């Protein structure tokens, strides 16, 4: 009698495979351009006038 049954490992493997396929389907179809990455390009904030004086 083992600690985990084979069905548990099979369920984890199926869930991992489905999750990886869903991730590739949503993120991997955007192309290879740098503008289409997951994180948007950084932009500097506009200069604010110092009103503390």
């Amino acid at each position: 009698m083992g600690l985990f049954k084979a069905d548990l490992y099979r369920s984890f493997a199926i869930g991992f495979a489905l999750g990886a396929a869903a991730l590739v389907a949503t993120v991997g179809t955007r192309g290879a351009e740098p503008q289409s990455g997951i994180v948007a390009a950084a932009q500097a904030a506009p200069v604010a006038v110092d009103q503390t004086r």
Side-chain angles (χ1 to χ4, degrees):
M1 181 172 153
L3 183 60
F4 296 111
K5 303 282 184 191
D7 292 339
L8 180 67
Y9 294 126
R10 189 177 317 133
S11 295
F12 276 122
I14 292 171
F16 181 81
L18 291 176
L23 186 66
V24 168
T26 57
V27 177
T29 59
R30 295 186 186 182
E33 296 127 19
Q35 300 92 328
S36 66
I38 297 173
V39 179
Q43 291 183 332
V47 177
V49 179
D50 185 15
Q51 298 178 355
T52 58
R53 295 182 190 183

